[in-house]
Amino acid sequence: MPNYHIWTIGCQMNKAESERLFSLFEESGYQFVPDVADADLIVINTCVVRQNAEDRAARKLQNFKPFKKARPDMIIAVTGCWVESNTDQLKKRFPFVDYFFKAGECPPWVDRTKWSQALPKEPQPATYVPIIQGCNNFCAYCVVPYRRGREKSRPLSEIVCEVKELARRGTREVTLLGQNVDSYGHDLPEKPELADLLTELNDIDGLYRIRFLTNHPKDMSLRLIKTVAQLEKVCKSITLPAQAGSNEILQAMRRGYSIEEYRRLVTEIRSEIPDVGLVSDIIVGFPSETEAQFQETVNLLTEVKFDTVHLAAYSPRPGTVAAREMADDVSADDKKRRLTFLERLQENIVTEINAKLTGKTIEILVEGKQKGKWYGRTGTDKLVFFNDDANCMGKLVNLRIDLTSPWSLQGTINY
Ligand code: SF4
């Protein structure tokens, strides 16, 4: 049997697509090998959202070169956001690569029917399910619309069938994925909305939990918020990337909302779903960001008190509006200082939020074991560890929270 290896970097969408590749190769009788030296087929799934991710993929690929030289029959394939329609430059740079195929597409040597039906035989208790690909927004800093194309939703019935089958095979939680899940369905003939999809999935037997990400503040509807509040299986956790706290910067980023609109949305979400877990993304050091504008981001974090904030320093991505038209004029030192400041601020905020959970009983879905301890997530997306001798995999358990930190919680099972 041929051996295969997949290396993945980047967002949950990449991870979901790599999981589909795993299923496809397993169904075709391939064996996964952890060491690339033993592989007959290597796929690397790339990300270009930050320069650092692109550099790591390039280094990885260069490391494969000697293997290919020693064994010319080895197949090397590259997918993910690095692969554009025109791959000439990549082909020149990495002539030893056999195939380049675009993110989310069927590998060119595989039968398309097999690709569309590839599902893991024994899926993880928590599994990702892509529902919409691409993005129509063209935020000034973002390369996604250029690499993944315009929004393309999967038919609602196809997603419902897939989730039913995943639940039958053992999945207990699905995370619906898209670059902008709030746009789900607008390109389909019957124009279903994300709220309709959540309502249908909520009825699936054997499925305990549903999550979805990422949302766009300008597209999130009150109907969706009310649906999340009402449906028992939909986790009370919302990812709402703010990106910046200043209106000038939001406008330069072409985000399509003001900070006042963003704050109003947060108020609306919290009034409909009082215990919601809120997650945000912030970019520091966007072109022209002044200290005063950065302070507005500091104010946003201090006032809203998110449960999680994914922080990044701006780096220009070739081909984007920001890279073409704006000078990357915030120094590396200032970006680092602003990033470190927000990291510390957020750490203090989450320390306080999590400390309030001490002594409370919270339900988690057990996703696996790490260093001898079971772990899982709360509905609000907090990671919790606990000890138990029973096999808890894939089960919903109630834990009393004993210890908290900004990164995770420790609990004791409550029988
Ligand atoms: S909404 Fe903006 S940041 Fe998100 S994928 Fe689309 S273009 Fe990129």
Side-chain angles (χ1 to χ4, degrees), residues 135-139 141-145 179-180 216 243 255:
C135 185
N136 292 0
N137 285 314
F138 291 91
C139 298
Y141 52 84
C142 182
V143 78
V144 165
Q179 269 78 35
N180 180 8
H216 196 301
Q243 305 299 7
R255 288 290 290 169

Side-chain angles (χ1 to χ4, degrees), residues 63-297:
N63 291 344
F64 297 159
K65 201 172 163 185
F67 297 118
K68 178 77 176 176
K69 205 168 171 201
R71 288 178 39 212
D73 58 335
M74 171 189 260
I75 293 176
I76 299 181
V78 177
T79 185
C81 288
W82 211 7
V83 183
E84 298 173 80
S85 332
N86 181 352
T87 51
D88 285 355
Q89 269 190 334
L90 282 176
K91 280 181 186 156
K92 260 191 219 147
R93 195 168 157 200
F94 306 103
F96 53 93
V97 170
D98 298 278
Y99 297 104
F100 292 93
F101 60 100
K102 287 178 79 177
E105 288 191 353
C106 173
W109 66 91
V110 167
D111 175 356
R112 277 182 177 276
T113 50
K114 277 193 180 170
W115 172 243
S116 59
Q117 289 156 11
L119 279 185
K121 274 197 192 75
E122 291 174 17
Q124 295 297 313
T127 302
Y128 294 118
V129 175
I131 62 165
I132 178 169
Q133 275 282 356
C135 185
N136 292 0
N137 285 314
F138 291 91
C139 298
Y141 52 84
C142 182
V143 78
V144 165
Y146 304 94
R147 299 301 168 94
R148 286 187 178 261
R150 303 300 168 270
E151 287 164 1
K152 198 167 180 300
S153 306
R154 293 177 66 196
L156 186 140
S157 56
E158 183 183 300
I159 300 167
V160 173
C161 269
E162 185 170 310
V163 176
K164 273 187 187 160
E165 185 53 26
L166 283 167
R168 200 185 62 77
R169 296 184 191 195
T171 290
R172 297 291 164 247
E173 174 184 303
V174 287
T175 302
L176 309 177
L177 288 182
Q179 269 78 35
N180 180 8
V181 284
D182 300 300
S183 287
Y184 173 75
H186 74 92
D187 54 328
L188 295 173
E190 288 172 355
K191 310 229 174 298
E193 293 180 14
L194 179 57
D196 300 312
L197 178 61
L198 293 174
T199 306
E200 294 234 4
L201 297 179
N202 195 64
D203 288 338
I204 293 179
D205 288 338
L207 186 72
Y208 302 159
R209 286 174 160 193
I210 307 160
R211 300 182 192 272
F212 55 95
L213 51 98
T214 275
N215 299 89
H216 196 301
K218 81 172 167 49
D219 295 325
M220 186 172 235
S221 67
L222 183 57
R223 182 180 170 220
L224 176 65
I225 299 169
K226 284 183 183 287
T227 304
V228 174
Q230 281 156 11
L231 296 178
E232 41 141 358
K233 291 186 185 174
V234 178
C235 291
K236 309 311 174 211
S237 162
I238 290 184
T239 301
L240 199 64
Q243 305 299 7
S246 136
N247 276 331
E248 291 86 10
I249 296 298
L250 286 175
Q251 207 174 359
M253 286 177 163
R254 303 188 178 194
R255 288 290 290 169
Y257 53 85
S258 68
I259 201 61
E260 291 77 20
E261 285 165 333
Y262 183 90
R263 284 173 190 264
R264 267 201 297 279
L265 189 56
V266 169
T267 308
E268 217 159 56
I269 293 171
R270 285 197 164 139
S271 86
E272 294 289 336
I273 318 166
D275 290 327
V276 69
L278 277 183
V279 181
S280 197
D281 295 354
I282 294 287
I283 298 172
V284 297
F286 188 76
S288 80
E289 186 188 62
T290 61
E291 280 302 323
Q293 287 164 339
F294 169 68
Q295 187 56 45
E296 293 186 70
T297 302

Side-chain angles (χ1 to χ4, degrees), residues 293-363:
Q293 287 164 339
F294 169 68
Q295 187 56 45
E296 293 186 70
T297 302
V298 173
N299 297 347
L300 181 76
L301 265 58
T302 310
E303 287 160 32
V304 173
K305 298 193 192 304
F306 296 100
D307 291 83
T308 306
V309 181
H310 302 293
L311 296 162
Y314 171 77
S315 71
R317 308 308 300 132
T320 59
V321 174
R324 281 199 312 269
E325 298 175 7
M326 302 174 198
D328 181 15
D329 54 3
V330 179
S331 73
D333 282 351
D334 281 343
K335 284 180 189 168
K336 193 158 182 245
R337 179 177 46 76
R338 290 176 193 178
L339 195 65
T340 310
F341 186 90
L342 291 189
E343 278 166 357
R344 294 212 180 114
L345 172 69
Q346 185 56 26
E347 199 178 307
N348 291 337
I349 291 170
V350 185
T351 301
E352 254 179 57
I353 294 176
N354 288 357
K356 290 188 188 139
L357 299 173
T358 311
K360 294 209 164 139
T361 298
I362 303 183
E363 186 185 71

